Amino acid sequence: MDLLLRGASLVDGTGAPARPADVAVEGDRITAVRDPGELVPGPGTEVVDLDGLVLAPGFIDVHTHYDAQILWDADLTPSSWHGVTSVVMGNCGFGVAPTLPEHREIIVRTLENVEGMSMEALDAGIDWCFETFPEYLAAIDARRKRLNVGAFLGHTPLRLFVTGGEERPATAEEVETMKGLVREALEAGAIGFSTSRQPAHQGAFGRPVPSRFAETDEVEAIASVMGSLGKGVLQVSIGPGMFIDQFSEIATRHGIPVTWTALVARADKPGAALRAVERGAALPGEVYPQIACRPIVMQIGMADPVPLAEIDEWKEALALPRAERAGLYRDAAWRERAREATLKAWSHRWPKTSVEETGIHHDAVGVPLDRLAGERGTTPFDLMLDLALSDGMATRFRIVLDNDGDDEVGRLLADKRTLLGLSDAGAHATQLCDACYSTHLLGHWVRERGALSLEDAVWRLTGHPHQAFRIAGRGLVREGFHADLVAFDPATVGTTPVERVHDQPGGADRLVVRSTGVEHMWVNGVATRTGGEEIADVAPGRLVRG
């Protein structure tokens, strides 16, 4: 054996009780899991004593947007700091392939508007060495990477590739072309196909993203390709015409797993999320609603008002270049049109919106905007704009969008019919950082709240995504599985405060969160972290093929 891990409390990802065990690794595989003392190291065996630590499968993050970042960040930070050894990107219908040269700006602007990515970072960091999806997978496969990576084929770049971005239903011929490209992608190793019907997904120049113009029959036709091949996951960001009934029908008709986003707890609709789980569970088919284990909190500046995109008047702002948006906010006529709709749409959010970062409005930090507006004799809408404009658009606001009820979120996490996801790692980098969801789950929900057991939490992070996403050979500590492993201290595992760093291409900034208590990690049998510190210049990650 090459590596012997001993003295840990093994939580193997199946949900079974923790037990003392030693684990042997040879090459990239787990070769033995035995009671303590039964495995004898050879002369060349590296022995790592894990006394007092929990040893678990490496965590699998099924909902990321690293499609662009992987082209410049081989380490896929910050996920790699939080026990994550495998990620799935290309969610919600977005990605960078397939893309023709004439559509590259549209793809970049779509990622900027919908996923809050820096256009400067995208322009500087994307190496357009591909056009088709198989060429993109080949490029990812050839690149050095710290983590294992799988990818969905996104509906938006696919539709742009086939229809040229025309805002209409596809023709029968175009649907057949898309089906052929989906088949080609799946055969090349795509994890599956993702799409979005989400009204808030306003893409390049403030226009609806291409997937929103697809009829349900188009999604159905693409799902039939996965059914005929017997492989692939369908991931949907919900919207008009695509919800629980349709997911059940697609899953049963084509024999494929369907996962949808997002199932969230809302303070103004108590119990609604749990009722949705019950309703879905009563229907046939393998359907997984995705939940987040953190409050859905976003930090935004008025230069990038993405969360307001569902309001028609704000689409005008997103249609403008960033530098011109301040001028729109000063326009009294636009304010008059936008005020009532914004105040109404966000009536439940103003009490949960406050200044978080600012150059000059330090007295406003942390005060709910509705209260602050009342004190100043204005509206939260006007106050938000005035604060931003007077600070040169530098003021950033913290908005609690959903999932802020601990009791209901805890019940959703304890319900095994839901799938843990929604880290959105790689997206909204200047606005939030939920790539730390795994260590937050173990620290907040297991140790502090006791909402679920350690074994169930690890299953949520490993065995459950292994099952739902058909990720072969990963997600369990089992003989023959890949040696993706993490050892952590259950007494200290958790997250550090959010930091803003400027480490993206072109000097773009982002928010990051670091971990505590994650002591060791191995990816395909290679150590990537030891003693709580990252090991530099290692890249054992591989392309995960569907």
Side-chain angles (χ1 to χ4, degrees):
M1 70 183 79
D2 297 321
L3 175 66
L4 175 59
L5 308 178
R6 64 186 183 189
S9 176
L10 177 65
V11 179
D12 65 9
T14 65
R19 68 187 193 276
D22 294 347
V23 175
V25 174
E26 188 164 338
D28 65 347
R29 303 280 177 160
I30 297 167
T31 54
V33 181
R34 298 286 189 274
D35 290 336
E38 289 187 6
L39 296 172
V40 179
T45 301
E46 178 187 2
V47 179
V48 180
D49 287 313
L50 301 175
D51 291 343
L53 300 179
V54 169
L55 180 64
F59 308 147
I60 301 172
D61 187 345
V62 297
H63 196 110
T64 80
H65 292 277
Y66 280 128
D67 312 74
Q69 185 177 327
I70 193 172
L71 298 171
W72 67 74
D73 176 18
D75 288 341
L76 291 178
T77 58
S79 290
S80 55
W81 305 337
H82 293 275
V84 173
T85 57
S86 299
V87 299
V88 178
M89 57 193 189
N91 283 274
C92 304
F94 304 119
V96 295
T99 297
L100 295 170
E102 58 265 34
H103 296 149
R104 290 171 182 170
E105 182 186 6
I106 295 175
I107 289 294
V108 166
R109 289 187 176 273
T110 296
L111 293 174
E112 178 194 30
N113 273 356
V114 179
E115 296 300 343
M117 298 181 187
S118 161
M119 191 165 71
E120 292 77 14
L122 294 169
D123 284 339
I126 295 178
D127 170 17
W128 293 102
C129 59
F130 52 85
E131 290 186 9
T132 70
F133 193 82
E135 287 171 349
Y136 174 69
L137 285 188
I140 299 306
D141 193 17
R143 268 176 161 74
R144 287 171 50 83
K145 46 197 171 291
R146 183 175 286 258
L147 305 183
N148 305 307
V149 178
F152 282 112
L153 170 63
H155 202 175
T156 278
L158 175 67
R159 244 182 160 262
L160 188 61
F161 194 82
V162 173
T163 70
E166 294 184 17
E167 298 181 344
R168 57 169 174 78
T171 66
E173 183 179 357
E174 287 168 340
V175 171
E176 286 302 313
T177 300
M178 282 190 267
K179 288 173 64 178
L181 292 171
V182 170
R183 178 178 291 273
E184 178 184 69
L186 291 166
E187 290 175 342
I191 290 289
F193 174 78
S194 70
T195 187
S196 173
R197 306 295 282 264
Q198 174 55 248
H201 284 167
Q202 297 293 125
F205 312 107
R207 300 299 304 158
V209 296
S211 64
R212 288 178 56 194
F213 294 98
E215 295 180 325
T216 303
D217 287 349
E218 181 177 315
V219 177
E220 179 83 33
I222 290 170
S224 74
V225 178
M226 291 187 278
S228 68
L229 290 175
K231 63 189 298 186
V233 180
L234 174 64
Q235 189 268 329
V236 184
S237 186
I238 58 174
M242 289 290 286
F243 197 43
I244 291 172
D245 293 335
Q246 290 75 27
F247 301 151
S248 172
E249 291 167 6
I250 289 172
T252 53
R253 186 175 297 123
H254 303 294
I256 61 172
V258 177
T259 182
W260 59 272
T261 58
L263 179 69
V264 296
R266 293 185 58 175
D268 59 327
K269 295 183 179 179
L274 288 165
R275 288 193 294 273
V277 173
E278 293 293 342
R279 180 182 159 198
L283 297 172
E286 190 178 356
V287 179
Y288 300 93
Q290 279 189 38
I291 59 168
C293 66
R294 290 168 60 84
I296 298 179
V297 174
M298 188 167 285
Q299 189 192 83
I300 68 166
M302 290 298 95
D304 291 299
V306 175
L308 288 152
E310 59 190 320
I311 304 167
D312 285 343
E313 288 77 10
W314 286 89
K315 295 170 186 175
E316 299 174 39
L318 289 171
L320 295 172
R322 280 186 190 174
E324 298 178 20
R325 291 171 183 173
L328 182 68
Y329 303 150
R330 293 189 180 95
D331 183 343
W334 178 81
R335 283 204 188 194
E336 190 65 29
R337 287 188 289 109
R339 183 179 293 109
E340 183 178 355
T342 308
L343 289 172
K344 181 178 179 181
W346 272 37
S347 61
H348 62 297
R349 288 185 176 157
W350 298 120
K352 299 185 287 186
T353 301
S354 60
V355 173
E356 187 163 51
E357 290 186 25
T358 179
I360 61 175
H361 303 300
H362 303 295
D363 59 332
V365 172
V367 182
L369 280 193
D370 62 339
R371 193 174 91 202
L372 195 63
E375 294 171 356
R376 299 187 181 188
T378 185
T379 71
F381 163 79
D382 291 285
L383 179 61
M384 182 167 63
L385 294 174
D386 291 339
L387 291 172
L389 289 168
S390 61
D391 194 18
M393 302 289 277
T395 293
R396 297 175 185 266
F397 302 88
R398 181 181 190 270
I399 305 168
V400 181
L401 298 175
D402 288 305
N403 237 39
D404 55 332
D406 258 17
D407 289 341
E408 187 167 4
V409 174
R411 289 194 292 272
L412 291 171
L413 288 170
D415 193 316
K416 295 188 177 182
R417 296 169 295 186
T418 62
L419 180 69
L420 184 62
L422 300 177
S423 85
D424 260 4
H428 312 293
T430 66
Q431 303 161 338
L432 58 80
C433 182
D434 285 342
C436 60
Y437 80 108
S438 54
T439 46
H440 176 81
L441 179 78
L442 296 168
H444 178 73
W445 289 108
V446 175
R447 184 177 63 248
E448 296 170 10
R449 290 297 303 269
L452 68 170
S453 69
L454 178 62
E455 291 86 351
D456 281 346
V458 169
W459 171 78
R460 278 213 166 279
L461 295 166
T462 61
H464 200 201
H466 154 76
Q467 166 198 321
F469 273 58
R470 314 297 199 258
I471 298 176
R474 304 186 192 275
L476 301 175
V477 179
R478 179 176 289 174
E479 292 178 12
F481 270 53
H482 292 276
D484 297 340
L485 299 160
V486 57
F488 61 88
D489 181 353
T492 61
V493 66
T495 62
T496 65
V498 175
E499 306 170 50
R500 187 173 297 280
V501 297
H502 293 77
D503 63 353
Q504 297 294 280
D509 66 305
R510 63 173 176 154
L511 296 174
V512 298
V513 174
R514 303 181 192 276
S515 67
T516 59
V518 178
E519 295 300 317
H520 303 275
M521 291 176 61
W522 295 266
V523 177
N524 296 308
V526 176
T528 61
R529 185 179 182 93
T530 186
E533 300 292 334
E534 296 293 290
I535 298 173
D537 300 321
V538 293
R542 296 179 186 165
L543 179 66
V544 175
R545 300 181 187 274

